[in-house]
Amino acid sequence: MKIVLLGYMGSGKSTIAKALALEMGVNAKDLDKQIEAHVGLSIPEIFEQKGELFFRKKEHQVLEEEIKSDANVVLALGGGTPCYSNNMDLISSQENVRSIYLKASISSLTKRVLSDSYERPLITGIKAEDIPEFIGKHLFERMPFYERADFIVSVDDKSVQQVVSEIRNLL
Ligand code: S3P
């Protein structure tokens, strides 16, 4: 089985993917890392040098390869992955895939994206004081895609272990 973790930037997808995969005895994968390896550039460099459209096409291509492979894996998506190229249709169409939306509040997402905004091209250039409004608007637009996940798990004020246990109980 494949477990796909989705959610906004800073919701903890990569951290939870690693911890969950360890418990389940499978590999954790990170879609952004896979894209970086394919292209040979970091995510900020891809946005800067090739543009977001190039990134979204690559994201879809790498997702399709991952989703259609036989490997049992916990895969952390990028924050925007569910919202482009019919990616949620692709994810939902696979019988062996379970998707989980890691849901976080605007205030906890704000804290987390501010601590590593240099890694996030969509946030660079936005003033720290404007980040809550930016996230609120962005989240509102993305919510319909995120809510197509098979399960929704709230992550606010929970430890990694708590979130991992909740996910395991759902599967
Ligand atoms: C993006 C989120 C990032 C990365 C890219 C675009 C987005 O992933 O894929 O910068 O559109 O929300 P994380 O959610 O892992 O930061």
Side-chain angles (χ1 to χ4, degrees), residues 9-10 14 32-33 36 42-45 47 112-124:
M9 291 177 270
S14 307
D32 280 346
K33 295 261 178 325
E36 290 180 331
S42 69
I43 299 294
E45 285 168 344
F47 271 71
R112 284 154 89 167
V113 301
L114 278 177
S115 66
D116 51 13
S117 58
Y118 61 92
E119 284 176 13
R120 308 187 196 274
L122 295 182
I123 303 286
T124 25

Side-chain angles (χ1 to χ4, degrees), residues 11-41:
S11 56
K13 301 177 295 282
S14 307
T15 308
I16 302 292
K18 281 185 208 141
L20 179 62
L22 195 67
E23 273 210 12
M24 296 177 72
V26 299
N27 282 331
K29 283 193 178 175
D30 194 301
L31 196 67
D32 280 346
K33 295 261 178 325
Q34 306 278 107
I35 298 167
E36 290 180 331
H38 266 245
V39 182
L41 294 170

Side-chain angles (χ1 to χ4, degrees), residues 2-167:
K2 274 186 214 303
I3 313 296
V4 168
L5 300 183
L6 55 103
Y8 200 75
M9 291 177 270
S11 56
K13 301 177 295 282
S14 307
T15 308
I16 302 292
K18 281 185 208 141
L20 179 62
L22 195 67
E23 273 210 12
M24 296 177 72
V26 299
N27 282 331
K29 283 193 178 175
D30 194 301
L31 196 67
D32 280 346
K33 295 261 178 325
Q34 306 278 107
I35 298 167
E36 290 180 331
H38 266 245
V39 182
L41 294 170
S42 69
I43 299 294
E45 285 168 344
I46 297 174
F47 271 71
E48 208 178 289
Q49 296 176 26
K50 310 250 181 203
E52 183 172 355
L53 278 185
F54 173 91
F55 172 78
R56 294 301 171 194
K57 277 193 211 156
K58 241 331 148 201
E59 183 177 49
H60 176 70
Q61 187 192 323
V62 177
L63 175 70
E64 193 163 29
E65 280 169 25
E66 281 302 327
I67 289 286
K68 294 191 171 165
S69 81
D70 289 335
N72 290 327
V73 74
V74 181
L75 177 67
L77 303 186
T81 318
C83 317
Y84 294 89
S85 314
N86 295 323
N87 287 337
M88 280 314 287
D89 289 338
L90 172 66
I91 290 166
S92 320
S93 67
Q94 305 297 308
E95 262 194 24
N96 63 336
V97 175
R98 297 286 171 279
S99 55
I100 296 155
Y101 168 28
L102 302 181
K103 189 171 184 169
S105 65
I106 295 172
S107 63
S108 61
L109 292 172
T110 299
K111 273 185 222 139
R112 284 154 89 167
V113 301
L114 278 177
S115 66
D116 51 13
S117 58
Y118 61 92
E119 284 176 13
R120 308 187 196 274
L122 295 182
I123 303 286
T124 25
I126 297 170
K127 285 192 232 138
E129 72 219 50
D130 294 335
I131 294 281
E133 281 68 34
F134 175 85
I135 293 179
K137 180 175 177 289
H138 215 188
L139 206 48
F140 179 74
E141 291 161 0
R142 289 179 165 192
M143 203 79 86
F145 297 95
Y146 292 162
E147 288 185 341
R148 287 182 61 193
D150 296 317
F151 303 105
I152 299 178
V153 172
S154 289
V155 296
D156 281 343
D157 303 318
K158 288 181 190 159
S159 66
V160 171
Q161 198 45 53
Q162 272 174 298
V163 175
V164 167
S165 307
E166 265 185 53
I167 295 174

